[in-house]
Amino acid sequence: MRASLTVLLLACLAVPAHALPPPCSSGFVFEDRNGNGVRDAGEPGIPGIKVSDGVQLVTTSADGGYDVPYEDGRTLFVVKPAGYDVSVRPDGMPDFWHNRQYHKGPALKYGGTPQRQPGCRHFGLRPRGEATTAGEFEALLLADSQTASVQDVDYYWRDIVQPLVGKHGASLGLTLGDIVNDDLALYPEMLRTTMSLQVPWLFIPGNHDLDFDAASDADSLRTFRHHLGPDTFAWEEDAVTFIGLDDIIYRPGESPSYLGGLREDQFAFLQAYLPTVRRDRLLVIGVHIPFFEEGARGFRAADRERLFALLRDFPHVLLLSGHTHTQRHWYHDAATGWHGTQPLHEYNVGAACGAYWSGVKDAAGIPDSTMADGTPNGHARLRVRKGGEYTLSWHAARAKDDSGIGLHAPNVLRKGAYPAWGVYANVYMGEADTRVEYRVDGGEWKAMKRVEQPDPSLLVENMRDDLADALRGYDRSPEAEPSHHLWRGALPTDLAEGEHRVEVRAFDRWRGETTAHTSYRLQTATP
């Protein structure tokens, strides 16, 4: 008997790999009527739903079936259609993707993509009622949460996430890369923390989300995809279509080790998918490295022009990016390869971690973390209406007011001195043509002048750090760099001695008029 078992075992081991049963390439997209994520009896298939592996794109048949030819190591996903919600995984993530890994992948420090049984995969969708599909759509936007430790995750929770729990009206969340700062073991905790916001959340990878021990770019996001989903995806709502793209080209063993750009498989997906996208909606393209970024690690100009050619005929396009740990608006034109009828707007979203969770801690033990351009860390919101119209806003973390304006003025000036000192207004969402005005003691409103120089409030922090005899925080505030959204107005010194109120108003393109105020004091002095 023992000899027979030995012979049988040897016979099984002798079966060549190509004789193993092939992995399943098909499945169904079905109406998940009870919301349990499992296809139960009586739950019909849904026709006309797009399914992709990031390269190939198919549409479900009349019975909801699909067949995407199997390619080991790719991530299969449903393009969530407008008017539907996806089933929810036990960890709170939207259940719209599945990693195909039939054979064992490369051994990686953080695990990569686990080998799995090649079973068929079904995806559940739940129809929305008419009341939930009408009106304005809102999304929460984060960039660069960039946690390097459990302590940083706690900052992220208390500074960014907790203040929003139960207090936002968003239907979707999007993080634009650098979810962590190289320590991919933090993904489960970051996922748990983020999903407490109880909205579907989509993640785009950044240059600090890579498996740095991977031998190639193709294998560098295996751990990311295992925890957070596909690195190429599309998601459709009634008023907006989102496309997320990994734009980090990893180059192990080379210098620089990465740069910005897109892969051939991503262009294959875009060429197949974009012709199916409705053009009366806003089309949002989300990446990590900005399209306007130049230099050795910037975005490859040839890839940018190739992408822009695919987007040229879309009347409503918004680009979203992160990476810089500053905030600005950029309008692409022929100089950067855009040849549409109107300039193409890119919003480079400020970082959730600000300047890498640096600076002096407040009473709650959370670092100040102001960014190098003077923008406080926080989150952005995107609101979209049918017809392609959208509004954007920036919200500083735990801010007592939400004016979107940071003011700096001297405490005291000499009465009668030459008026060489001014009030500075950092209008976080300001653009080159933003109208910013100020007045003193309720007088006449006067225009402030846009200046590209470091934010003086951050310069003060730099000086305090320089002059301190001991560290004021774990990491010092970043060295201030010129801001693209700073305005200055000269302060009069010919007024009465004493305190004077300074009011500033900015006319935001989307929010309208916003205001902030500060004060300074005039003092009489003798030589």
Side-chain angles (χ1 to χ4, degrees), residues 105-119:
L108 298 170
K109 176 181 178 180
Y110 292 105
T113 305
Q115 187 176 4
R116 63 173 71 239
Q117 293 297 316

Side-chain angles (χ1 to χ4, degrees), residues 85-99:
D85 290 315
V86 298
S87 299
V88 179
R89 298 184 179 210
D91 60 7
M93 282 279 280
D95 189 20
F96 75 104
W97 54 275
H98 172 75
N99 289 315

Side-chain angles (χ1 to χ4, degrees), residues 28-30 66 76 78 95-98 121-125:
F28 289 89
V29 179
F30 65 95
Y66 71 86
L76 188 74
V78 169
D95 189 20
F96 75 104
W97 54 275
H98 172 75
R121 186 62 161 85
H122 310 311
F123 296 96
L125 297 174

Side-chain angles (χ1 to χ4, degrees), residues 136-141 164 167-174 197-201 379-383:
E136 189 177 83
F137 175 86
E138 182 175 328
L140 294 173
L141 305 177
L164 289 170
K167 298 177 183 178
H168 66 83
S171 301
L172 185 71
L174 178 66
L197 292 169
Q198 297 186 332
V199 292
W201 208 277
H379 75 278
R381 298 192 187 198
L382 168 67
R383 296 176 177 87

